Amino acid sequence: MGAYPENVNLYAPHPPVFGTAPAGLGVLDARARDIFRRIVETYLETGDPVGSKTISRGGLSLSPASIRNTMHDLTLAGLLSSAHTSAGRVPTHAGLRLFVDGLLEVGDIGSEERREIDARLAGKGRNFEEALDAASNLLSGLAGGAGIVASPISEAGVKHVEFVPLGRDQALAVLVAEDGAIENRLMSLSAGMTPSTLIEASNFLNARLKGRPLAEAHHEMRGELEAARQELDAAAARLVEEGLAAWSGGAERERSLIVRGRANLLQDAQALEDLERVRVLFDDLEQKEQLIGLLDGVGAAQGVRIFIGAETRLFSLSGSAVIAAPYMTGRQRMLGAIGVIGPARLNYARVIPLVDYTARVLGRILDGQET
């Protein structure tokens, strides 16, 4: 992959107005930049407020008093905050944004992590759901936050539909799209459902769905089904309705959102204040439609996007951060988005390349390309 800064698309910082809004790098001299960078890096590593003595022990040839004066100026600039005057400083969300935009050095991921991502996502015969679930679990484990992924937006037409009996009370609903994608759903069968009923339901859907995107045909099919009930056996009609419902995850309003690794968010939460933030974050994670909307917006940048705290209303209370990237086809059509969510002090330098590489591998797999 090489160097990342030119590939990473981030929100631009707000225009600097020193003393009234967070300052930009342009108003910081070399000393202030250096001290600010050291404070943020130390905070991201430890999670604790950073004092002047800690910075002076890092090889900086300045007295603690000089460092404290600069830290005070950075606080007035809106880049640092502290619980009280004598306490150490932590970066504000605006400070983290400035650091990420202008001072963060993002490298490449290691060859071992590449191999692990490739191996865990390139399972033979894996369907969409399995690949997405594996990617979400993988990012959660490697990045230490919660892995999130929005299911693909399917625009391909339907090529074939079939209901395959698996026993007395179960069938496999199979949908083959014109782009070669195959979706399988297990369905429960009502008592007395015969093989001929399954064939009748399959034929009905094939005649009406073939060549049409499912999202486009779904609403129309519901109305048509009412008029066609006299042609269809009641059991077959129910099967058609259940089949449409099973596949309706392709419609945007009903798309799936996979979240894995919530337990990771509790590992570093010790103080009551931290636990309350995690509780609010868990509430945020339940806002499925808003999260999917956030991830869908990632595609416009065609690269890694970072959201910190109040930059998005969804996380304004929990103060969380999201690092996300779209997974795309070889023709650069967005399929969905994948990312990591956690506290604002995520290890950005590590997580950004992990998300970027995982998104690209996932896109190649779902696009049918070799990894």
Side-chain angles (χ1 to χ4, degrees), residues 33 43 55 57 94 112 122 134 136 139 146 154-155 179 190 229 231 278 283 297 312 322 325 329 333 336:
R33 287 192 191 195
Y43 170 74
I55 298 301
R57 288 197 295 265
E112 185 176 336
S136 183
L139 271 186
S154 179
E155 298 176 357
D179 62 1
S190 303
R229 282 186 184 278
E231 300 176 25
V278 172
D283 290 341
T312 168
V322 178
T329 68
R333 181 175 71 84

Side-chain angles (χ1 to χ4, degrees), residues 297-314:
V298 167
Q302 297 191 2
V304 177
R305 289 289 298 275
I306 299 174
F307 306 89
I308 302 175
E311 288 179 349
T312 168
R313 286 194 322 180
L314 184 59

Side-chain angles (χ1 to χ4, degrees), residues 117-140:
I117 293 171
D118 291 341
R120 289 179 61 179
L121 293 187
K124 300 289 185 181
R126 172 171 282 147
N127 62 26
F128 272 15
E129 287 75 20
E130 289 174 336
L132 296 178
D133 191 65
S136 183
N137 265 317
L138 178 64
L139 271 186
S140 170

Side-chain angles (χ1 to χ4, degrees), residues 213-345:
L214 186 64
E216 172 192 305
H218 187 197
H219 178 73
E220 197 173 311
M221 276 289 301
R222 286 293 183 93
E224 187 177 340
L225 187 58
E226 291 298 322
R229 282 186 184 278
Q230 293 181 350
E231 300 176 25
L232 277 173
D233 175 84
R238 280 199 306 274
L239 192 61
V240 168
E241 287 183 316
E242 291 169 5
L244 285 172
W247 285 311
S248 65
E252 181 176 343
R253 62 185 176 84
E254 298 180 17
R255 284 165 56 211
S256 64
L257 177 76
I258 301 171
V259 181
R260 295 288 181 267
R262 286 180 173 88
N264 291 336
L265 302 174
L266 289 167
Q267 289 181 355
D268 295 328
Q270 298 175 353
L272 289 176
E273 184 180 355
D274 289 338
L275 289 172
E276 175 61 19
R277 286 199 187 99
V278 172
R279 186 194 66 77
V280 175
L281 173 55
F282 280 8
D283 290 341
D284 291 338
L285 290 176
E286 298 304 319
Q287 304 300 313
K288 173 184 170 183
E289 291 184 6
Q290 292 187 53
L291 265 175
I292 288 179
L294 178 75
L295 292 177
D296 284 348
V298 167
Q302 297 191 2
V304 177
R305 289 289 298 275
I306 299 174
F307 306 89
I308 302 175
E311 288 179 349
T312 168
R313 286 194 322 180
L314 184 59
F315 303 117
S316 59
L317 294 179
S318 62
S320 307
V322 178
I323 299 175
Y327 53 93
M328 314 180 82
T329 68
R331 297 179 179 179
Q332 296 301 295
R333 181 175 71 84
M334 180 180 172
L335 296 173
I338 185 169
V340 172
I341 181 173
R345 66 176 191 87

